[in-house]
Amino acid sequence: MIVVMNQEATADQIQHVQDKLKEWGFGIHFSQGVERTILGVIGQKKPGVMESIEAMDGVEKVVPILQPFKLASREFQSATSEVQVGDVVFGGPKLVVIAGPCAVESEEQMVMTAKAVKRAGATMIRGGAFKPRTSPYAFQGLEEEGLKILKQTSIEVGIPFVTEVVNPMEVEMVAEYAPMLQVGARNMQNFTLLKEIGKLKKPVILKRGLAATIDEWLMAAEYILSEGNYQVVLCERGIRTYETATRNTLDLSAVPLAKRLSHLPIIVDPSHGTGKRFLVNPLSKAAVAAGSDGLIIEVHPDPESALSDGPQSLNFNGFETLMKEITPIIYAVGRSL
Ligand code: PEP
Ligand code: MN
């Protein structure tokens, strides 16, 4: 069960609720967000307890939650959350399209790409400055220089960006540059990183781990939420299966399933989800049809010479075609661009 204190609750009132819960033998997870204080109550349900707590001063509501993830669950909040980055809203009526290269390579590459994808209809750009590559010998990213390029591009082209943070010690530094952070698949269960991001009031995309169940993914989101950061967007990016014809198996059932279990917005990454350029267009369409709140797509001016993930990157023409072909589907599911 979760106890939500109202915004005007005093420190004494919050303490009193905690004292009572302890007296009744419950464990408490205390979460002080910017907007509200939440007490996660751990222990067996006892008759009459919910009603007693609800009657206490400063308590807004008591929510019984059966799922292991509490703050992320639909039981806790029935309406889909909206996560805002500048003018971009995840979880609202508009489909969010994020596009850009896998890795930031140069200012020229970023500005060219940002202009092209914006013209084609993207409302946000992506680009990795820290690249968690499978091989230590592969390009690792431009690091802080890459963040500077992203920020400069964003100002010049007038479009916000998202970028990955891989190290808990670098969260604050990356957040100084970026309006939205990304936790990559390989770090989905890096709980130290999740907790650091949870302490910020900064939107974050949480990618599904390579072999994570939906429950594990939502529990990872819970780590961020329970630290007080409620601006989490989930991202399905494919999971590891026995299939080798694609880089990953894009699990589109995760979209309606996660939406049923959680109020968090969810987007789909068909680039990492398939690893193959020709599959990005059809799987983007399927993701929108399945109810995804957005897409994140790798686009490069010259995929053949990309320093990472060229085989799954679209060129500008490919992205423009995708945006044209996807528009009727966006409207068919009752959304707009
Ligand atoms: C990325 O989006 O740049 C990335 C590395 O993706 P993932 O973490 O899903 O592999
Ligand atoms: Mn990539």
Side-chain angles (χ1 to χ4, degrees):
M1 130 182 108
I2 293 267
V3 179
V4 183
M5 302 301 296
N6 63 38
Q7 276 184 346
E8 295 79 37
T10 63
D12 281 352
Q13 288 169 342
I14 296 170
Q15 193 55 53
H16 178 67
V17 175
Q18 293 192 82
D19 290 346
K20 276 291 174 195
L21 286 167
K22 277 187 204 149
E23 203 180 300
W24 290 326
F26 291 106
I28 301 166
H29 176 91
F30 183 80
S31 165
Q32 174 100 65
V34 180
E35 286 142 28
R36 51 192 168 177
T37 298
I38 288 162
L39 307 173
V41 183
I42 304 135
Q44 280 295 318
K45 210 178 146 195
K46 296 186 178 87
V49 162
M50 260 185 73
E51 292 75 6
S52 303
I53 302 169
E54 222 148 26
M56 290 178 186
D57 289 338
V59 173
E60 187 178 307
K61 59 177 176 176
V62 180
V63 194
I65 295 174
L66 301 174
Q67 301 285 4
F69 37 91
K70 309 287 180 198
L71 304 175
S73 76
R74 275 267 180 216
E75 290 167 292
F76 176 65
Q77 185 186 304
S78 56
T80 298
S81 283
E82 292 193 348
V83 174
Q84 192 158 354
V85 184
D87 293 337
V88 178
V89 181
F90 294 83
K94 289 187 177 177
L95 186 92
V96 177
V97 181
I98 308 168
C102 180
V104 179
E105 296 169 10
S106 69
E107 186 164 341
E108 191 196 4
Q109 169 231 24
M110 274 317 300
V111 171
M112 253 173 96
T113 310
K115 284 182 177 164
V117 299
K118 187 182 177 186
R119 204 179 319 115
T123 46
M124 201 158 161
I125 52 170
R126 58 150 291 147
F130 298 89
K131 295 305 306 173
R133 306 300 297 282
T134 301
S135 161
Y137 308 117
F139 177 59
Q140 302 288 310
L142 296 181
E143 305 186 342
E144 195 166 356
E145 178 57 26
L147 297 175
K148 289 184 180 151
I149 293 175
L150 282 163
K151 188 163 184 186
Q152 179 54 34
T153 305
S154 165
I155 294 166
E156 195 175 323
V157 184
I159 190 165
F161 70 91
V162 58
T163 196
E164 180 166 354
V165 56
V166 295
N167 183 343
M169 316 255 278
E170 289 167 353
V171 167
E172 260 184 59
M173 186 267 283
V174 178
E176 271 171 36
Y177 290 94
M180 186 178 212
L181 305 176
Q182 177 177 312
V183 175
R186 289 158 193 80
N187 271 315
M188 190 205 80
Q189 283 187 319
N190 181 338
F191 298 119
T192 316
L193 179 66
L194 300 178
K195 283 193 208 170
E196 281 306 308
I197 291 173
K199 289 179 193 148
L200 301 177
K201 197 171 185 279
K202 179 79 71 169
V204 55
I205 292 177
L206 176 65
K207 290 201 154 189
R208 182 177 178 183
L210 282 84
T213 63
I214 289 177
D215 264 27
E216 287 164 342
W217 186 22
L218 294 174
M219 290 306 282
E222 191 78 12
Y223 264 88
I224 302 174
L225 298 168
S226 73
E227 292 290 333
N229 183 353
Y230 308 113
Q231 302 180 79
V232 177
V233 175
L234 301 168
C235 177
E236 163 60 39
R237 50 76 73 204
I239 48 171
R240 181 63 56 86
T241 68
Y242 55 81
E243 182 56 76
T244 53
T246 47
R247 179 177 178 182
N248 291 292
T249 298
L250 188 63
D251 177 14
L252 287 183
S253 66
V255 175
L257 198 45
K259 275 186 169 287
R260 191 185 176 94
L261 295 170
S262 174
H263 55 86
L264 298 173
I266 172 165
I267 64 170
V268 171
D269 175 348
S271 307
H272 295 89
T274 64
K276 292 201 157 45
R277 186 175 306 127
F278 78 97
L279 290 174
V280 171
N281 179 314
L283 270 300
S284 296
K285 291 169 180 162
V288 173
S292 180
D293 294 304
L295 295 167
I296 178 163
I297 295 171
E298 286 187 340
V299 177
H300 194 281
D302 178 20
E304 258 182 50
S305 65
L307 294 182
S308 82
D309 288 349
Q312 68 194 34
S313 299
L314 301 181
N315 62 17
F316 298 163
N317 273 340
F319 183 67
E320 218 183 298
T321 305
L322 164 61
M323 291 305 287
K324 278 197 188 117
E325 291 183 6
I326 210 167
T327 301
I329 298 164
I330 294 170
Y331 285 90
V333 295
R335 304 188 92 122
S336 60
L337 252 179

